[in-house]
């Protein structure tokens, strides 16, 4: 069996568990129960964002688990993100404080720039929209300056590590010239394998975390209903099914193990106790070299991307919009 460390070591010796728990698109009550199930199943790495509007629920469940034993906090690795409305140096602290307050924690383990583009700062509205449904995009923001401010936030001790999400290769290199991000969180799954960005990140020594590693069915369904575009269901692809059957595993486990064997960390989301357990039970089987090659052929490159932010109409006008333009 090949040996893959279950943790990724970060600056200062902190360890980020390679399998984390995603929390996007889970309603408050459901999420609290799911986080309890995740803690029982052994997850210690939790991924949220100001924009998910669920930090209070996650914080509540974590606080119950920590209880009176403050040393338990050190076992957790909690990640949250600066929302698009906070993309100005003078707003970073305010948005960060709001996250920390809602999470009811003294510090977060990793703070990420969620996206390189920006919305206008509208107090009380994390997704400000124009009357025609397009987003109130703030075209004046400067990604490099926001990154410099995030780096300063680290000096307060209330953020142990800082990183980025949804950046392209050029942006990642640009920010690395200022100071290397400690993590890159991007969409990665069998249809969108991001080989070039993963390689660039590896070269820079930046750990990669795959979001939507199972193909984010809820988002794919929402986008399909809006745009008519068809999104293949990764979990029922014949290749994945065949490999799953031969290992006596679920297709979800095959997709997740594939990312792990590519050296990538994962943050699958589930609110179902059985699937929550399955998604962290990946250490006792291994995909063969030929299975890895077969799974590699499923990549559709840019066409496989699901989370292209087309649901935020207008953001492609921002000069730091990271993907191939939708329009
Ligand atoms: N940085 C960013 O911009 C960004 C963007 C997107 C996501 N994320 C983060 O990444 C996390 C994961 O991505 P995601 O939530 O988009 O999608 P995902 O983890 O790829 O997929 C979640 C979906 O798969 C289902 N599922 C989970 N485990 C399964 C299994 N073993 N078999 C079959 N179905 C399974 C879930 O349903 P059930 O709940 O019913 O199991 C849910 O519908 C998010 O929750 C969020 O924390 C970050």
């Amino acid at each position: 069996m090949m040996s893959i460390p279950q943790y990724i070591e970060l600056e200062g010796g902190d360890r980020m568990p390679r399998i984390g728990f995603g929390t996007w698109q889970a309603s408050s009550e459901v999420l609290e129960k799911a986080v309890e199930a995740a803690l029982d199943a052994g997850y210690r790495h939790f991924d949220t964002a100001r924009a998910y509007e669920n930090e209070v629920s996650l914080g509540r469940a974590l606080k119950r688990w920590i209880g009176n034993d403050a040393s338990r906090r050190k076992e957790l690795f909690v990640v949250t993100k600066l929302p698009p409305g906070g993309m100005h140096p003078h707003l970073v602290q305010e948005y960060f404080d709001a996250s920390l307050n809602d999470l009811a924690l003294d510090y977060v383990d990793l703070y990420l720039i969620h996206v390189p583009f920006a919305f206008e700062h509208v107090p009380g509205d994390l997704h400000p929209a124009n009357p025609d449904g397009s987003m109130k995009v703030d075209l004046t923001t400067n990604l490099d300056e926001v990154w410099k401010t995030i780096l300063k936030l680290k000096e307060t001790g209330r953020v142990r590590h800082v990183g980025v999400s949804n950046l392209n290769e050029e942006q990642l290199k640009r920010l690395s010239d200022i100071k290397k991000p400690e993590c890159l969180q991007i969409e990665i799954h069998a249809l969108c394998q991001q080989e070039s960005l993963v390689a660039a990140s590896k070269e820079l020594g930046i750990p990669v975390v795959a979001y939507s590693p199972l193909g984010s069915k809820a988002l794919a369904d929402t986008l399909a209903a809006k745009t008519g575009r068809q999104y293949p269901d990764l979990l029922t692809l014949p290749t994945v099914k065949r490999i799953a059957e031969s290992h006596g595993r679920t297709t979800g486990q095959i997709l997740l193990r594939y990312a792990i064997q590519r050296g990538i960390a994962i943050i699958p989301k589930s609110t179902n106790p059985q699937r929550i357990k399955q998604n962290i039970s990946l250490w006792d089987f291994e995909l063969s070299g030929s299975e890895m090659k077969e799974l590699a052929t499923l990549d559709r490159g840019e066409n496989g991307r699901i989370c292209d932010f087309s649901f935020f109409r207008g953001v492609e006008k921002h000069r730091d919009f990271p993907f191939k333009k939708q329009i």
Side-chain angles (χ1 to χ4, degrees):
M1 181 85 88
M2 69 196 293
S3 129
I4 302 172
Q6 295 194 17
Y7 297 89
I8 294 174
E9 194 153 314
L10 301 176
E11 217 176 85
D14 286 348
R15 299 190 315 165
M16 173 171 75
R18 204 174 279 271
I19 305 175
F21 188 72
T23 66
W24 188 33
Q25 291 183 311
S27 64
S28 309
E29 268 174 48
V30 173
L31 179 63
E32 271 192 59
K33 288 208 173 70
V35 171
E36 279 173 16
L39 285 160
D40 284 348
Y43 291 80
R44 296 295 179 262
H45 168 176
F46 292 87
D47 180 79
T48 183
R50 187 89 198 128
Y52 302 166
E53 302 184 66
N54 65 12
E55 289 167 314
V56 170
S57 307
L58 173 61
R60 243 189 244 140
L62 296 180
K63 204 178 177 103
R64 267 201 302 277
W65 183 80
I66 294 169
N68 293 326
D69 183 357
S71 69
R72 276 190 143 191
R73 169 66 185 92
K74 288 202 193 88
E75 289 181 40
L76 298 174
F77 191 92
V78 182
V79 186
T80 192
K81 313 183 190 91
L82 178 71
M87 291 292 284
H88 280 286
H90 71 282
L91 294 170
V92 168
Q93 186 74 52
E94 177 182 331
Y95 276 88
F96 173 75
D97 287 346
S99 281
L100 204 58
N101 185 55
D102 279 2
L103 285 163
L105 295 173
D106 296 330
Y107 67 92
V108 295
D109 296 274
L110 178 63
Y111 196 52
L112 304 178
I113 292 182
H114 200 152
V115 288
F117 54 80
F119 299 155
E120 285 176 20
H121 165 60
V122 179
D125 188 355
L126 287 159
H127 300 101
N130 295 307
D132 68 358
S134 64
M135 304 309 294
K136 288 185 189 286
V137 180
D138 183 344
L139 299 171
T140 70
T141 62
N142 181 324
L143 179 61
D144 299 26
E145 292 307 314
V146 172
W147 178 235
K148 287 178 196 164
T149 312
I150 299 247
L151 291 167
K152 281 198 203 118
L153 202 57
K154 199 177 162 183
E155 291 163 16
T156 65
R158 299 198 300 156
V159 186
R160 291 192 63 80
H161 303 280
V162 290
V164 292
S165 182
N166 293 303
L167 261 55
N168 63 32
E169 207 169 313
E170 182 275 320
Q171 292 167 327
L172 188 67
K173 288 185 175 150
R174 206 169 87 211
L175 263 50
S176 294
D177 284 343
I178 301 169
K179 175 123 175 61
K180 195 174 78 175
E182 293 176 87
C183 172
L184 172 69
Q185 186 182 119
I186 48 173
E187 175 176 349
I188 299 183
H189 46 72
L191 299 178
C192 178
Q193 303 198 13
Q194 305 256 32
E195 237 190 277
S196 158
L197 187 49
V198 170
S201 204
K202 209 178 201 178
E203 198 158 304
L204 290 162
I206 302 170
V208 178
V209 174
Y211 76 63
S212 306
L214 295 163
S216 198
K217 186 142 176 33
L219 175 62
D221 288 350
T222 309
L223 290 175
K226 262 192 185 171
T227 63
R229 189 182 144 191
Q230 288 308 304
Y231 295 85
D233 182 357
L234 269 74
L235 294 150
T236 57
L237 291 175
T239 307
V240 183
K241 272 170 100 171
R242 183 169 31 76
I243 297 175
E245 276 158 24
S246 75
H247 284 275
R249 301 284 166 159
T250 67
T251 51
Q253 286 175 309
I254 298 303
L255 292 167
L256 297 175
R257 176 75 198 187
Y258 177 53
I260 295 281
Q261 281 187 222
R262 290 182 66 209
I264 296 165
I266 49 170
I267 46 170
K269 170 260 167 191
S270 178
T271 51
N272 171 292
Q274 202 186 351
R275 290 192 283 277
I276 288 172
K277 275 193 204 137
Q278 281 172 18
N279 295 348
I280 200 174
S281 306
L282 306 175
W283 300 110
D284 58 347
F285 73 104
E286 185 173 319
L287 300 170
S288 68
S290 61
E291 287 165 339
M292 290 295 289
K293 278 193 190 137
E294 262 191 283
L295 291 165
T297 65
L298 298 176
D299 189 19
R300 294 185 177 192
E302 195 57 29
N303 291 332
R305 189 189 296 284
I306 299 166
C307 189
D308 60 3
F309 297 102
S310 54
F311 46 90
F312 290 149
R313 205 143 56 78
V315 294
E316 68 285 348
K317 283 187 287 191
H318 196 288
R319 67 170 177 276
D320 282 320
F321 182 75
F323 310 141
K324 210 176 71 186
K325 302 279 189 248
Q326 299 304 305
I327 297 165

